[in-house]
Amino acid sequence: MNIQTIHLENWKKFTEPTQIQLQDGLNVLYGPNESGKTTIIDSIITTFYTKHTSGSGKIKSLKPWGTSLHPLSQITFTKNGENYRITKGFYDKKSILEKQESEIWKKIAEGDQADKQLIQLVGGQLATRGDTKPELWGLGQTLWMVQGTPFISDDLNDETLSSLQTMVGATIESDKEKKVLSNIRSKFLEIYTEKTKTLKRGSQLKKVQDEIQTLKEDLSQSQLDNNKKDELIRKIEDTDILYNRNQKNLKEAKKERDKTELELEDARQHQKIREKLEDEIQGINARYETLQKKMEEITDSHHEIAEIKAECQQLQQQLIPLKGELTDLEENITDKLKRQDATNQKIDQANDEKSIAGIAHTTVMDEQALEPLKERYAEITQLYQDLNQTKEELNTIIAPSPNQMEVIQKLSAQINKTNISLQAMGLTLNVSPQAALSGEISLDNKVNPFSVTENISWTANQSLKIKIDHVGEFEVKSGSQDVKTMKEELEKMQSDYQEMVAPYGTEELNDLQKLVIKKESKEKEIDRIQADLNKRTDKSPEQLQQEIIGLENKIKLKWEKIPDDSSYKACEGKDKAVVRDELSRKIIQLEDYIKTQIQNRNQLNEEIRAERKTLQELEQTVNDKKTDLHGKSQITEEITKRLKRLEDDGHSPEEREHQLNQLSVELDQKKRAWQVYQDEIDEKEKQPLGAFESLKSKVERLKEEIHQQEVNKAGWESKLQILINQSKDTNIIEEKLEHLQSKEKELQTEADALKLLFQLTSLYRENTIGELSEPIRKHVTDDMEKLLGPKYSLVFNKQMKPESIEVAGEEASIDLLSFGTQEQVWCLFRLALGNILSRNEKQLVVLDDPLVNTDPARMHRALEILQDNSKNMQIIVVTCDVDKYNSLTDANFISMDKAI
């Protein structure tokens, strides 16, 4: 199949009708990126292998962006010597297949029929859904290298293999064998997956295996349910036995509890008498302890009062010497504070004098700084005056610039040269009069009178006319046109020269040069003065003057700060260097004096601080002792008051002692009576009460157990009923399982046999396909020798695709080659396939930038191979770099810029 024309409308970037005309042989489609080259190639694939009713994402992307235009494609192609034309409009759902008869196009199919008949002509398959894929392109799978797919990743499709079989005469299988093999393959694929060769999910064997697995799970679950039922039945039976036993025990426990309850009254009476005795004992014991404690407190209070009085006398004796020490310390501190005040006055006086001396010192230093500042101001002011004067002088100088001077000099030289030439070519009249002559002479039409008595000569460029008084006249003319032209040029140059030098007041070159030198000298002088100014200061004279005024005012204010009666006032006006040194020494003396006085003051401060601390400690000690003395007096008063309250009961100490003895006897009697009851507590209280509580607890426990057994039994009976309702007949499951396992065995045997048969036929097919590889391998190897030299030999795999290479007898994967070399190998492989498949009818080979990674050394050989192969087939080469292909003499070059 060959393509003649490709016509596109509203197809992606081609919003205007665009037509590509192709020829048999080699076609080079070129243009920059985004010019539409790949769109042209993609339109062939889309038109041939996509249904006209498709609404896939790729079809939707054909419409020019931002428009509502409907894409249309029309391709004219040749098949078996006949011309066909297919027209498709995917948005209009249109497909028309036409055939050319006697130069007239006749429609032979439309719609789905057009799509089907087109596939019968070009080969391949239509995509059932979605976008088309390379494996559906028929021979195009291997012959078309489209953008982004330089390598063939899928296995060669059946159409390519069948076509190769016809071309090389190899026999893969007969038509009858094809049917058998196809039947084996379809049967195999009903059971196994094509890629992993594992059981297919929908196969009968897989269904039986899944059903067996389900039955096994059901059987296991049924057996598990039966075990649960047996366990529940046992639990219910055990619960019934325990329930009946607990009912009997509960009845007996209630009867015994009621009997024991009658014996409790005696125990409660015994307990009541015992508790009453305990209360009486506690009351008597409390009165006894209260009285005893009261008597002890009275005795202790008398002792405490005596001890506190003794301690108070001791404290009063200790306070006498402490008060004397306090008085001495206070007098000492007062004396040192007076000395401290005197020292502070000395320091303040010295600081005041130092401050005044400092003001005088800094003022003298400011006066010293003022003098050089004034000198610098005078120098800078003078420099600014010189600068302004020089600038004014520069402004008065009117002189040509260096470039203008160069032009003037060149023009003057040209004028002199022309004058010399004119003089050489002009007329000269030499006169040697014997007597005085007079008259008029005209030199180039300029008349001047003359009167000569000695030798003279006149020169003219073109004409010379002389009239001598009393003699006559004669005229001499030059007939040279060059002289006339040169004279006109001279006049023009002289006029230009005068116009140039007119602003400068002189025509002499020396004078002009002097003006230029003078101007340059002034400019250099300005630069020098400016540089001197920049070096000397970064301030203007006004700023310096302001600084001087500020400093003078500052000095004046400082002198005014010094009191008139101060000795430092006399420093004003004296020699500044001497005064500064004297003031520096005086300041240092004052600082040393202040430092000494501060040290003395600090020493006094330390002594005062230490004595104040001692004073505070003594005051604290005195206060503590006074506080202690006061506290003890208060305690004595409190104890006396408390003692009075304790003794104010109307009893003497002897009466209290007698009352305490009576309470002790009564307490002893009550304790002995209580002990009798306490000894009988286990027998008459605890045992009857314990027996009753034990029986009471037993009744409650049995009731709880019975209730829990009733709840458990109800739950287990409910679970048992659910299991009975859900359970399946295990025997039926086992019978069905046995039947399916037998069926699985038969199906597995059949599947294994079919798998073995499929493997044998596949092996046979692979071996036969190897026979097809040889002519292709030979063709590719020959072209590789032309392109790469004899070092490479190609090895094909079982799918008849290049897999590895042999280099010097060693085999290596094709992936080890550089990307550019791999690209070249696959390009040669496609060309070899195209050559073999084109023996009966020329085929179309598409190569999208196949040599983009080819170096210049290999490029010319690759182009020779490309041109040789184009004699047997139609080739479309797509490229961005057309210069690489300029040496192809027979190629049809198609520019995307000129596509119509």
Side-chain angles (χ1 to χ4, degrees), residues 420-521:
I420 293 169
S421 299
L422 282 172
Q423 289 175 2
M425 296 171 64
L427 303 171
T428 302
L429 177 64
N430 297 314
V431 177
S432 300
Q434 298 295 325
L437 295 176
S438 63
E440 291 181 347
I441 186 166
S442 175
L443 301 174
D444 294 329
N445 297 324
K446 293 182 180 179
V447 179
N448 292 299
F450 73 88
S451 176
V452 296
T453 57
E454 55 186 17
N455 294 342
I456 192 171
S457 66
W458 288 290
T459 301
N461 295 321
Q462 281 187 302
S463 65
L464 186 151
K465 184 177 180 180
I466 187 168
K467 182 180 179 180
I468 303 173
D469 295 338
H470 313 296
V471 177
E473 62 182 39
F474 64 91
E475 184 178 2
V476 181
K477 291 184 177 180
S478 172
S480 173
Q481 183 64 33
D482 292 339
V483 172
K484 183 179 180 181
T485 302
M486 192 176 295
K487 185 178 180 183
E488 290 174 352
E489 291 175 353
L490 177 62
E491 291 174 351
K492 175 70 169 58
M493 287 187 289
Q494 287 173 339
S495 175
D496 292 343
Y497 182 81
Q498 289 173 354
E499 185 178 347
M500 283 184 183
V501 301
Y504 312 122
T506 180
E507 294 183 4
E508 294 297 325
L509 283 176
N510 289 337
D511 293 340
L512 290 171
Q513 190 66 42
K514 288 177 181 178
L515 286 173
V516 171
I517 293 170
K518 186 176 180 181
K519 184 177 180 180
E520 289 177 350
S521 175

Side-chain angles (χ1 to χ4, degrees), residues 321-343:
L322 290 174
K323 288 179 180 180
E325 291 182 19
L326 280 174
T327 303
D328 295 341
L329 275 173
E330 286 172 351
E331 290 175 355
N332 199 12
I333 289 171
T334 301
D335 179 61
K336 288 182 178 178
L337 285 171
K338 290 178 180 179
R339 288 165 58 194
Q340 187 184 52
D341 291 340
T343 303

